[in-house]
Amino acid sequence: MIKGFREFITRGNVIDLAVAVVIGAAFTAIVNSIVMGIINPLIALVFQADSLDTLGPTVTGLTGNEVFFPIGAIIGAVINFLAVAIIVYFVFVYPMNRFKERAAAKAGVAEEEASDLPTEQELLIQIRDLLAQQPKA
């Protein structure tokens, strides 16, 4: 049982996943600091950010008690998500893609045309034919 666990842990996939989780946590801190330091102050220029928590209707229930629906919190979460997604794309993803394209162009790597490559079905037919040609033991 211990040997199986050791083999499971030392597989490359588990180690890669653990590293990805740690890097993701560190990356989250970077993105959150950009959102808190740049995006939220920009939003605060337009309207008071705390006002979203109190935005929403209050409805009187059947028993006479008032129930508050914090729609503003949902709107705030959507704005926060969009801000994080925009920051991740324009600050990290887009520049990294441009960098990779430039590096590939410098290296002289040309993309192969899709028409030159066989389709998955053609490959499967070739494998089937090769297996059929093998002598049976």
Side-chain angles (χ1 to χ4, degrees), residues 61-137:
L62 296 175
T63 59
N65 59 336
E66 291 187 349
V67 179
F68 175 68
F69 290 91
I71 304 297
I74 296 170
I75 293 170
V78 169
I79 291 172
N80 191 34
F81 171 77
L82 291 175
V84 169
I86 288 169
I87 293 300
V88 168
Y89 182 75
F90 286 110
V91 175
F92 298 105
V93 174
Y94 183 73
M96 186 59 70
N97 288 343
R98 298 282 297 171
F99 174 75
K100 287 180 182 180
E101 288 172 4
R102 288 183 189 152
K106 269 188 180 179
V109 176
E111 295 182 19
E112 295 181 28
E113 292 187 26
S115 61
D116 294 344
L117 298 175
T119 64
E120 185 176 335
Q121 185 177 10
E122 291 171 342
L123 288 174
L124 289 172
I125 290 170
Q126 290 175 4
I127 292 170
R128 180 197 63 196
D129 294 343
L130 288 173
L131 288 173
Q133 291 173 1
Q134 289 183 349
K136 297 194 181 185

Side-chain angles (χ1 to χ4, degrees), residues 5-22:
F5 179 73
R6 182 174 45 119
E7 289 173 3
F8 170 74
I9 290 298
T10 56
R11 269 191 219 152
N13 295 345
V14 174
I15 301 299
D16 291 343
L17 181 60
V19 170
V21 168
V22 171

